[in-house]
Amino acid sequence: MSAGIELLAPARDASVAIAAIRCGADAVYVGAPQFSAREAASNTISAIQQIIDFARPYYVRVYVALNTLLSDDELARAEKMIGQLHRIGIDGLIVQDVGLLELDLPPVPLIASTQMHNATIEKVQFLEAVGFSRVILARELTLEQIREIRRQTTIELECFIHGALCVGVSGRCCMSYAIGGRSGNRGQCAQPCRRRYSLKDRHGRTLAEDRHLLSLKDLNLSGHLAALIDAGITSFKIEGRLKDAPYVANTVGFYRRRLDALLAEKGLRRTSAGLSELAFEPDPARTFNRGFTDYGLAGCRSHVASMDSPKSMGEFVGTVAGVEKSCFLLDGDHDLHNGDGICFFDTQRQLAGTLVNRVEGRRVYPQKMHGIRAGRRIHRNYDRLFCAKLTDKAAERRIEVTMHLYETPEGLALSGRDEDGNEATVAIVTATQPARNEEAARKTITTQLTKLGNTLFVCRDLRMEIKNVCFLPVSQLNAARRELIARLMGARESSRPRPTGAIRKNSVAYPEKHLTYLGNVLNRKAEAFYRRHGVETIEPAAESGLDLSGRIVLTTKYCVCLELELCTGPRSGAAAEPLILEDEDGRAFEVRFRCGPCGMEILAP
């Protein structure tokens, strides 16, 4: 699919997709009408068609996520839906359930969801062998692991570079299902990782109390883009199919600028066309975030958690230096404005917030003063003026075109060439009446032929090769311009890259001979797929109704002991003793530590 470097943006609906494309996304991914891993972000076939229609002129690709586990009675519906999606022209289908590969699928490129746990060379090699066009790599991988996968495979590699982090290994987390019946593998995760927990040892001694011990900061790999390109990544993915348009516009705009600078430096190209002109200065800190981490991409694994709150803190603006009856004084200069939202932690370590009513220098008059004390660190979690810029007018995206007006035996011809090399020409029949004022006539010609404001194009250069300028009516110039643009649009569509891909039904050996419930086999077709590829024993998925008591429900490379500076395992050379995580409802989860590779396993009560 890829012939360059792709910036891939999330879209919960058509309006967000259009905002992402305007701000510079090379591709967008949206939820299918059903069976998406974000159940609340599904889209109708007609909505997806609307996105495709907007994306096509820019050569922006549209991928659809149909990446949940399916039951036997859902497979026929999924098969029909995939046929509909193929007919409207999607560029790729993101899937998790291998049962789909046993169906009669159209030749749509398949993308292996990160829910398939694409974390080893052997797994990626297998997916390539059975016909996947791309794999979305596990978020847990390091740069060196990505480099090694690239060295031993040729399939396209996609990785997450920004957004919320699941603490559990994607596709292998059953915690939500185990405690409440809502499965992340079915698009219904209740996010138990964002709840409060206490950490205790085997003797009941409390090591950490009532904190969000499993809540991670948001991923931000903006400082590692060059290294990821060098490691072999071709698609850079922003997480956030539940996020609003301002968040997506801001994040896409930020990474578009970063990537464009790198591509120019490295002599690489992007996969879509058009220059985005932003009406704002992008800054990820000014929209939703829990603080940022690179999640150990380059090695360091500490300071990755957001233990005080799973909510957006926004940007730090200052510390309260003094409090008066109806206002507080910040300790330095700031740029708070009326209508901004601010937040802080109160004496109970709860995140509290209010709105700003008025600002006078360093004095801030909030809607309410409750909880604001000297020494409080104030964050802005809603920037009114910044977000006001992130509307449908936040960006304009235009495709560059050069024009050439020249003489022919029949009169004049106007040709155009766009930034992708597409060309079109129209003839202009002219009278022989010379222009009375040649300079004014040339100016009129230039003005009318380059007036492309209501099109997708912007003219960067008009070259005129005319010896004797004749009078050309404005209406004739306008008609020629419109015809040229129409033909250019037709040429763009004719040469638009078409995705190709097909599953190869073979018997290549799967890397494992035995699958537990973490193999996520929920239907007979998935079982048949694995049997054909040499798997000998298959336990059904947790969602089949398994009793998960005492079994692993979450695996993570994150270590709560390392984060709390309680780690003893690596220094002593032995694994740390198991601990207990107790949630808000009194449920006790055993935590086992993996002190070689570093990480944890959490077992259901």
Side-chain angles (χ1 to χ4, degrees):
M1 288 185 290
S2 178
I5 301 298
E6 175 185 273
L7 177 58
L8 175 56
R12 71 181 184 191
D13 56 31
S15 65
V16 178
I18 289 170
I21 293 168
R22 283 178 172 153
C23 289
D26 297 308
V28 294
Y29 63 104
V30 302
Q34 286 181 283
F35 314 128
S36 158
R38 295 290 183 271
E39 190 177 58
S42 60
N43 288 271
T44 64
I45 295 293
S46 61
I48 297 171
Q49 178 72 74
Q50 180 187 350
I51 296 169
I52 291 171
D53 291 344
F54 187 84
R56 272 182 173 163
Y58 300 104
Y59 293 171
V60 168
R61 292 169 176 155
V62 179
Y63 307 130
V64 174
L66 198 156
N67 57 337
T68 60
L69 300 182
L70 303 169
S71 61
D72 286 302
D73 62 0
E74 291 170 333
L75 286 170
R77 273 185 288 154
E79 184 177 35
K80 179 180 179 181
M81 190 184 306
I82 293 169
Q84 293 173 311
L85 292 167
H86 175 64
R87 285 192 290 276
I88 65 172
I90 67 169
D91 297 287
L93 188 72
I94 304 169
V95 301
Q96 175 186 13
D97 197 320
V98 296
L100 293 170
L101 278 65
E102 295 294 292
L103 305 180
D104 184 18
L105 298 184
V108 59
L110 290 191
I111 300 169
S113 171
T114 192
Q115 296 293 112
M116 296 184 78
H117 188 48
N118 307 316
T120 66
I121 294 167
E122 294 78 14
K123 179 67 172 286
V124 177
Q125 287 174 332
F126 173 79
L127 294 172
E128 182 174 6
V130 298
F132 277 88
S133 297
R134 175 186 293 184
V135 296
I136 307 171
L137 295 175
R139 293 173 174 91
E140 293 77 23
L141 295 178
T142 64
L143 265 174
E144 184 50 45
Q145 289 171 319
I146 294 171
R147 290 190 193 103
E148 193 56 38
I149 289 172
R150 175 71 300 154
R151 280 193 284 264
Q152 301 196 44
T153 62
T154 60
I155 193 170
E156 287 185 14
L157 302 180
E158 176 183 311
C159 80
F160 284 93
I161 55 168
H162 197 93
L165 279 168
C166 294
V167 68
V169 171
S170 296
R172 302 292 179 93
C173 180
C174 308
M175 195 168 183
S176 176
Y177 180 75
I179 65 177
R182 293 176 57 181
S183 168
N185 281 320
R186 299 275 290 163
Q188 300 166 342
C189 182
Q191 295 190 306
C193 55
R194 302 299 182 185
R195 304 187 77 197
R196 289 180 176 271
Y197 293 89
S198 293
L199 184 66
K200 300 180 179 181
D201 65 17
R202 287 292 187 180
H203 305 292
R205 184 168 62 97
T206 299
L207 306 175
E209 186 173 14
D210 198 27
R211 301 187 69 187
H212 300 276
L213 296 176
L214 298 181
S215 179
L216 300 186
K217 296 176 182 176
D218 290 349
L219 186 66
N220 184 328
L221 299 185
S222 59
H224 299 279
L225 299 181
L228 286 166
I229 291 174
D230 293 342
I233 298 299
T234 55
S235 180
F236 293 87
K237 185 174 195 170
I238 298 166
E239 183 277 340
R241 278 196 292 125
L242 296 177
K243 295 292 198 302
D244 58 18
Y247 173 90
V248 173
N250 182 34
T251 310
V252 169
F254 175 77
Y255 280 96
R256 179 76 275 152
R257 289 188 176 179
R258 289 290 184 104
L259 277 175
D260 284 348
L262 280 173
L263 298 185
E265 179 184 312
K266 292 177 174 292
L268 300 172
R269 63 177 294 272
R270 57 190 289 193
T271 58
S272 69
L275 176 67
S276 294
E277 295 183 1
L278 305 181
F280 63 97
E281 190 63 32
D283 181 357
R286 301 180 78 171
T287 45
F288 187 100
N289 73 87
R290 301 177 178 92
F292 295 118
T293 175
D294 71 359
Y295 203 34
L297 180 76
C300 180
R301 297 190 180 206
S302 59
H303 307 295
V304 302
S306 177
M307 290 187 177
D308 293 322
S309 175
K311 298 178 182 178
S312 176
M313 291 287 295
E315 55 182 333
F316 174 70
V317 294
T319 302
V320 177
V323 175
E324 299 175 11
K325 183 178 180 181
S326 58
C327 70
F328 62 89
L329 183 70
L330 285 174
D331 62 349
D333 294 334
H334 62 86
D335 65 344
L336 287 174
H337 299 95
N338 301 354
D340 284 352
I342 58 173
C343 62
F344 54 90
F345 287 101
D346 62 19
T347 52
Q348 282 76 45
R349 285 213 317 264
Q350 298 285 339
L351 189 65
T354 186
L355 292 175
V356 174
N357 281 342
R358 189 168 86 253
V359 176
E360 295 178 0
R362 293 184 181 179
R363 281 183 167 78
V364 180
Y365 293 81
Q367 197 173 81
K368 56 184 180 180
M369 286 289 297
H370 182 72
I372 298 177
R373 302 284 186 272
R376 290 273 189 267
R377 290 172 56 85
I378 303 296
H379 288 73
R380 174 168 53 192
N381 57 2
Y382 174 68
D383 188 329
R384 184 181 64 84
L385 295 182
F386 182 72
C387 289
K389 298 176 183 178
L390 301 176
T391 64
D392 57 358
K393 305 295 183 183
E396 289 286 345
R397 183 167 177 171
R398 298 290 176 85
I399 299 166
E400 293 188 353
V401 62
T402 57
M403 294 183 181
H404 183 200
L405 184 66
Y406 56 94
E407 293 177 336
T408 68
E410 295 77 27
L412 296 175
L414 176 65
S415 67
R417 178 184 175 90
D418 69 21
E419 61 186 75
D420 293 298
N422 298 298
E423 296 180 315
T425 302
V426 295
I428 303 176
V429 179
T430 62
T432 56
Q433 179 183 348
R436 293 180 180 177
N437 184 326
E438 185 172 323
E439 183 179 346
R442 286 181 179 273
K443 185 176 181 180
T444 298
I445 290 170
T446 299
T447 299
Q448 297 306 314
L449 292 184
T450 61
K451 193 184 291 183
L452 303 177
N454 61 342
T455 73
L456 299 180
F457 298 94
V458 59
C459 182
R460 291 306 184 199
D461 182 50
L462 170 62
R463 182 160 54 97
M464 281 194 280
E465 293 183 282
I466 309 172
K467 293 179 181 177
N468 301 305
V469 180
C470 294
F471 171 74
L472 290 171
V474 168
S475 60
Q476 192 174 16
L477 291 169
N478 291 344
R481 182 193 69 235
R482 287 192 293 267
E483 180 63 22
L484 178 69
I485 294 305
R487 292 185 183 185
L488 262 181
M489 288 290 285
R492 286 191 64 78
E493 176 57 23
S494 295
S495 64
R496 178 173 58 84
R498 264 66 172 179
T500 57
I503 288 301
R504 296 190 285 272
K505 292 196 174 181
N506 53 39
S507 56
V508 173
Y510 188 70
E512 300 174 53
K513 290 291 185 183
H514 309 282
L515 290 180
T516 70
Y517 61 101
L518 296 176
N520 293 328
V521 177
L522 190 58
N523 57 70
R524 292 189 184 91
K525 292 291 187 181
E527 182 178 355
F529 174 88
Y530 283 119
R531 295 285 186 200
R532 183 157 52 84
H533 290 285
V535 178
E536 297 171 0
T537 61
I538 300 174
E539 184 179 26
E543 290 79 5
S544 67
L546 287 185
D547 180 5
L548 294 174
S549 301
R551 306 190 76 175
I552 296 171
V553 292
L554 185 150
T555 303
T556 176
K557 81 170 188 178
Y558 161 72
C559 177
V560 68
C561 284
L562 183 64
E563 194 73 15
L564 292 170
E565 299 183 350
L566 301 172
C567 178
T568 59
R571 287 193 293 273
S572 67
E577 289 293 323
L579 298 177
I580 301 297
L581 268 181
E582 188 174 286
D583 71 9
E584 302 165 43
D585 298 317
R587 283 182 289 248
F589 299 83
E590 181 178 333
V591 183
R592 296 177 183 170
F593 296 93
R594 300 179 299 154
C595 293
C598 195
M600 306 187 300
E601 294 174 342
I602 296 178
L603 283 64

